[in-house]
């Protein structure tokens, strides 16, 4: 019984993280899509939300290396996961600020936001996949 409750709690946590990632993706998509005309589509918003959901689901809660292995090498999955989470959430925060404060930054900042978001969630996805492929 205890195992089932822990497993359910873990699934709830991961689904919550995925929803947070989707929300972050929605904000980044709304900002980028409003500034770059060809990206003003529902498909683009859905793609950004999907990338965020998958990235945050896989990348935030990565299994760590066993304690004995942790001293011998750098945990690349953990490093990628943390860097990706920082990039993705920083980009989402900046996007929300641009939307809420009704700022009009240079187009280069918009492209940087798009690259920061996609790079961040890509790092999370790779980190999550790498950590789960360990023995």
């Amino acid at each position: 019984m205890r195992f089932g409750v822990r497993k359910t709690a873990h699934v709830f946590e991961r689904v919550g993280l995925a929803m947070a990632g989707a929300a972050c993706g929605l904000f980044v998509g709304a900002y980028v899509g409003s500034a770059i005309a060809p990206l003003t589509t529902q498909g683009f918003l859905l793609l950004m939300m999907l990338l965020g959901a998958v990235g945050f689901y896989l990348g935030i809660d990565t299994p760590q290396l066993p304690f004995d292995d942790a001293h011998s090498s750098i945990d690349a999955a953990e490093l990628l996961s943390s860097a990706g989470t920082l990039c993705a959430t920083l980009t989402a925060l900046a996007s929300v600020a641009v939307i809420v404060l009704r700022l009009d930054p240079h187009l280069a900042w918009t492209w940087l936001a798009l690259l920061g978001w996609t790079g961040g969630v890509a790092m999370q996805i790779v980190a999550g996949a790498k950590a789960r492929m360990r023995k």
Side-chain angles (χ1 to χ4, degrees):
M1 178 69 176
R2 182 183 285 176
F3 179 73
V5 172
R6 289 183 74 195
K7 193 81 165 164
T8 302
H10 190 72
V11 169
F12 284 171
E13 177 185 36
R14 299 284 295 277
V15 170
L17 290 171
M19 289 189 300
C24 289
L26 178 63
F27 285 122
V28 174
Y31 162 50
V32 171
S34 68
I36 301 172
L39 300 179
T40 308
T41 65
Q42 292 175 347
F44 177 71
L45 284 177
L46 288 174
L47 176 65
M48 297 297 276
M49 290 175 66
L50 181 65
L51 284 173
V54 171
F56 279 52
Y57 183 87
L58 288 177
I60 289 182
D61 185 28
T62 57
Q64 295 180 346
L65 280 174
F67 186 70
D68 295 338
D69 295 339
H71 293 299
S72 62
S73 65
I74 295 173
D75 188 355
E78 187 174 15
L79 184 60
L80 265 179
S81 173
S82 60
T85 300
L86 180 66
C87 285
T89 54
L90 183 62
T91 303
L93 178 65
S95 297
V96 169
V98 167
I99 293 167
V100 171
L101 298 174
R102 297 181 182 183
L103 301 175
D104 188 22
H106 191 273
L107 191 59
W109 288 109
T110 306
W111 283 104
L112 183 63
L114 181 60
L115 290 174
W117 173 255
T118 54
V121 295
M123 284 189 275
Q124 288 178 319
I125 292 168
V126 169
K130 180 174 175 41
R132 283 162 183 79
M133 290 178 12
R134 295 180 187 149
K135 294 180 181 180

